[in-house]
Amino acid sequence: MKIAMDFTVLKRDGQSRSGLLTLGRGDVHTPAFMPVGTNATVKAMSPDELQEMGAEIILGNTYHLYLRPGPEVVRSVGGLHRFMHWDRPILTDSGGFQVFSLSSLRRIEENGVHFRSHIDGSLHFVGPTEAMEIQAILGSDIAMAFDECTPYPATYEYALRSLKLTTAWARKCREYRLNAQVLFGIVQGSTFSELRKMSVEQLLEIGFDGYAVGGLSVGEPKELMHGMISLVGPLLPEDKPRYLMGIGDLADVLVAVEAGFDMFDCVMPTRNARNGTLFTNAGRISIKRTEFKFDERPLDPECQCSTCRNYSRAYLRHLFLTREILSMRLNSIHNLYFYLEFFRRMRAAINSGSFLEFKKSCAGILWKEAML
Amino acid sequence: MKIAMDFTVLKRDGQSRSGLLTLGRGDVHTPAFMPVGTNATVKAMSPDELQEMGAEIILGNTYHLYLRPGPEVVRSVGGLHRFMHWDRPILTDSGGFQVFSLSSLRRIEENGVHFRSHIDGSLHFVGPTEAMEIQAILGSDIAMAFDECTPYPATYEYALRSLKLTTAWARKCREYRLNAQVLFGIVQGSTFSELRKMSVEQLLEIGFDGYAVGGLSVGEPKELMHGMISLVGPLLPEDKPRYLMGIGDLADVLVAVEAGFDMFDCVMPTRNARNGTLFTNAGRISIKRTEFKFDERPLDPECQCSTCRNYSRAYLRHLFLTREILSMRLNSIHNLYFYLEFFRRMRAAINSGSFLEFKKSCAGILWKEAML
C-alpha cells in the first residue's frame, strides 16, 4: 500500500474554496460532508442508499470499532470496507474524542490513555501507536492522529499541557505512518488563540497530509467557537485539506467554509432523523406535529430525495408515531440527502463566486422552526 | 371500482395445486406467501426491497390501521397503497383476530364487538359493517369477512355459538360487499370436525370469492391443527383460492399445501429476523453465536438474497450485537427472501409433479438448529 492522496483547490471565493480530494477508492468533492458510521454502519442506512444520495466518503469511529467487533474481526474479513460493504473512501477518527467523552476512568500517561469501556467496563490502553495500529487494520483511506480532546472549560495551563501531549502523540503517529496510510494531524489549544497558533505551528513542523481542528463544540459559547474557526482556518496550509471535526450544525459549517475549511462530519442529520426532527428548505420541523396528520404533501417539495419523492408527511408522521423502523430509515435518507445537497449547493456557490450570497440566503432558515 | 379477481389452478399434484390469482394490481402466484405489513409497513422493509425479493402481495392489519393512523387519514391520502407506496395487491384481514387477541374488555354483541384499544385504552366498536367500511376505505384488493376467532380450548357449545355468530357476520359482510371489494369468508369451528364442516357449508351457501381458515394455531396441539387443515382444505371449492390464516411455520405450510391451500401469511420471518434467528437451507441459526465472530462466509451460501450476496456472518453478528437498525434490515431481507424462495421452489415442485419429494426433502431441515 502506498500513500495515495491528491488534493487540488479548484476554485477560491474569498477564503472559501472548492476542491477535489482524490483517494485510492474514489474522489471527494470539497467542501465535503461525511456521514458518520460509528459501528461500521451509518445508522439505519445501507451502503447502496448512501451511494445513491451521493455520499463520497464516510467516517468510522476507531474507539467503537476497537471495542466492537474488535480489530481482529475486521482484519479477518479483510478490512472495514469489505466488512461493511462500502467501497468508497473512509476516514477513521483516532478514538481520542470518544476515549475522553464516553469512557470512564481515563488515566492519561505519556504513551497514551488507560480507560474503561463504556460498554462493559473492561480496561483498555490506547495511545498513538495503538491508534495507528488499529486504523491500519481497519484500512481506512484517511487516518487521524491520536489526540487529547481538551475539555471545556480548561485553564491555560491545562490546555497548554494537553496541547503539548497532543503534539507529542501526533509526532509518534507521524513516525508510525511511515508505513502507509494518509494521516491528518489535529489542532488543539482549547479557546486560547495563542495555543491554537502554537498547535498549528507544531503540527506544520511535523508535517501531515491534511489538518484537522478538534476540541471545538465541546461546550464553549458559539462566538468563541466561531472565533477559533475563523482564526485557525487561514493558518492551515492552502494546499492541504482542512477538516473541522464533529461540527455539523449548518450555520457553523457556513462560518467554517467561509474560513476555508473543506471537510465535515456530524451525527446531527442521522440522530435528528431518528428523533423525528427533519431539515427542510423552509426550516426544521418535528414530523410528529398534529398538523401533518392528513398532509399528503411531500416533506419538502423542493427536495429530490427518495423519501420526498415517494412518501407523504402523513405517512412519515404515522411511521414515527408507531415507532416503525422504516421511520428511521426514511427520515435518515431525507436528512442525509438534505445535508449532501446543501454541500453540493455550497460548492456550486463557491464555484460561481457567490458563496457569501449563498451564506446570507441561508440565514434565518437554518435556525428557525418551519411553518409548512 | 368493480370486483376484479380471477383464479386459475395451473397444475395439480395430489391435492396440492399451483395457481394464478389475478387482481387488478397484479398477479399472485400460488401457493403464495404474504409478508405482514401491520402498521402500513412490513417491519424494517421498504416497498422497493419487497418488490426486489419477489413479494407479489402483502397483508395489512385492519385493527392496527383502524387505531393508527385511522381510516380517515388513509382515506385523505388516497388509500393504503398510496399511503405506503406499494402498488401491488394488498389483502387486509378484518381485524377480528386482533380484537380478540390484543384488545381488552371485548363485549360481544350480535352486531359486533366493543373493545378497548391496546394502545391507549380508548373504547371502540367494530362489527361486520364497520370492518367492511374500514377495509373499503383502506382500499385493499382482498377484504376478509369479520369473524370471531374462537379461542382454544373452547367447549363444543361455545364453539358452535361462536361459529354461528361468525356465519351471521359473514352474511352481513357479503351483503355489504355488493359495493365492490373482493371478499373472502373465514371458516371457524375450533377443533371440532363437525363444526368445521358446518362452517364451510354455511359459508358456501353465502358464497365468497375465496375461503380462509381461521382459529388455528391458537394454542391447540400441532396434531389437532394438522388434522383440521387436512380436513378443511379438501372441503373448500376447487376453483377458489384457499387461505390458511396466520400460519407460517414452513413445516405447517407443507402440510397445508398438501391439503390444497394456496395462501399464507405470518410474522415469523420478520419477527425472527429482528430477534436474530435466521432461516437457512441447513436449518435455523442464531446470528449471535460466538462461532460466527470471524466467519467471513455468507449466511447461507445457497441463498441469492442481497444480504447473502453482500455481507458476512461476522458482519451480521456484529450488527446484531450492536443493536444496529441495519441488522434488522439485513436479517429481514434474508428471512423474507428465504420464505419467498421456499414458496417458489414449492410451486416448481408442484408444477413438476414432485411436491411430496420436495416435502420429504425439507423434513429434518426446517426444524433443526443448523450446524454451519
Side-chain angles (χ1 to χ4, degrees), chain B residues 43-262:
Chain B
K43 287 194 190 300
M45 295 292 89
S46 72
D48 288 353
E49 286 162 344
L50 292 170
Q51 200 151 335
E52 192 194 320
M53 62 178 72
E56 295 179 321
I57 180 171
I58 62 173
L59 181 138
N61 286 125
T62 294
Y63 169 85
H64 290 279
L65 296 170
Y66 163 71
L67 293 177
R68 286 190 307 199
E72 70 285 1
V73 168
V74 177
R75 179 179 7 220
S76 79
V77 299
L80 184 55
H81 292 83
R82 229 189 120 203
F83 188 55
M84 66 185 291
H85 190 56
W86 170 257
D87 59 9
R88 294 186 176 185
I90 298 176
L91 177 149
T92 44
D93 63 12
S94 64
F97 180 75
Q98 281 81 16
V99 164
F100 292 101
S101 62
L102 289 180
S103 70
S104 58
L105 185 72
R106 288 199 298 279
R107 193 156 46 78
I108 304 178
E109 291 180 0
E110 201 191 322
N111 291 325
V113 191
H114 295 273
F115 63 95
R116 281 195 188 280
S117 158
H118 74 293
I119 300 165
D120 62 6
S122 54
L123 277 168
H124 299 269
F125 178 83
V126 170
T129 311
E130 292 76 12
M132 290 304 288
E133 279 170 356
I134 301 165
Q135 291 181 88
I137 291 171
L138 296 176
S140 53
D141 303 271
I142 300 175
M144 300 299 300
F146 190 70
D147 61 328
E148 186 193 352
C149 181
T150 315
Y152 181 85
T155 62
Y156 185 89
E157 290 67 34
Y158 184 93
L160 174 61
R161 213 164 49 234
S162 169
L163 151 61
K164 284 183 175 168
L165 189 64
T166 287
T167 300
W169 288 349
R171 187 169 284 115
K172 282 204 178 158
C173 289
R174 181 65 183 75
E175 284 160 12
Y176 189 100
R177 167 194 166 285
L178 291 172
N179 83 344
Q181 262 168 325
V182 171
L183 178 65
F184 284 19
I186 302 178
V187 176
Q188 289 289 347
S190 188
T191 49
F192 302 102
S193 303
E194 192 185 330
L195 295 185
R196 288 283 173 182
K197 283 181 200 164
M198 185 189 298
S199 181
V200 170
E201 280 160 21
Q202 294 180 353
L203 292 178
L204 287 176
E205 195 195 308
I206 301 169
F208 289 92
D209 304 306
Y211 295 87
V213 174
L216 290 178
S217 197
V218 292
E220 77 282 7
K222 280 259 179 189
E223 301 71 45
L224 266 180
M225 180 176 97
H226 289 178
M228 289 300 119
I229 289 171
S230 304
L231 170 80
V232 178
L235 299 177
L236 299 173
E238 275 283 327
D239 61 341
K240 302 286 184 194
R242 302 156 171 176
Y243 165 27
L244 183 59
M245 301 186 79
I247 290 179
D249 185 314
L250 294 177
D252 301 331
V253 165
L254 286 167
V255 170
V257 167
E258 190 177 1
F261 281 92
D262 308 299

Side-chain angles (χ1 to χ4, degrees), chain A residues 2-172:
Chain A
K2 67 181 186 61
I3 293 174
M5 189 192 94
D6 191 54
F7 180 65
T8 313
V9 173
L10 301 171
K11 179 83 184 157
R12 284 188 175 75
D13 183 6
Q15 289 181 336
S16 71
R17 64 242 204 112
S18 75
L20 185 65
L21 180 64
T22 305
L23 295 156
R25 285 194 178 81
D27 289 348
V28 178
H29 293 84
T30 64
F33 179 72
M34 303 185 281
V36 177
T38 301
N39 289 318
T41 163
V42 174
K43 287 193 190 300
M45 295 293 89
S46 73
D48 289 353
E49 287 162 344
L50 292 169
Q51 200 150 334
E52 193 194 320
M53 63 178 72
E56 295 179 321
I57 180 170
I58 63 171
L59 180 138
N61 286 125
T62 294
Y63 169 86
H64 291 278
L65 296 170
Y66 163 72
L67 293 177
R68 285 191 304 199
E72 70 285 3
V73 168
V74 178
R75 182 183 0 226
S76 79
V77 299
L80 184 55
H81 292 83
R82 227 187 123 205
F83 188 55
M84 66 184 291
H85 190 56
W86 171 258
D87 59 10
R88 294 186 177 187
I90 298 175
L91 177 148
T92 44
D93 64 12
S94 64
F97 180 77
Q98 280 82 17
V99 165
F100 292 101
S101 62
L102 289 181
S103 70
S104 57
L105 184 72
R106 288 200 300 279
R107 193 156 47 77
I108 304 178
E109 290 180 0
E110 201 191 322
N111 292 324
V113 190
H114 296 273
F115 63 94
R116 280 194 190 280
S117 158
H118 73 291
I119 300 164
D120 61 6
S122 55
L123 277 167
H124 299 270
F125 178 83
V126 170
T129 311
E130 292 76 12
M132 290 304 289
E133 279 169 356
I134 301 165
Q135 291 182 87
I137 291 170
L138 296 176
S140 53
D141 302 271
I142 300 175
M144 300 300 299
F146 190 70
D147 62 329
E148 186 193 351
C149 181
T150 315
Y152 181 86
T155 62
Y156 184 89
E157 290 65 35
Y158 185 93
L160 174 61
R161 214 164 48 235
S162 169
L163 150 62
K164 284 181 175 168
L165 188 64
T166 287
T167 299
W169 288 350
R171 186 169 285 114
K172 282 204 179 158

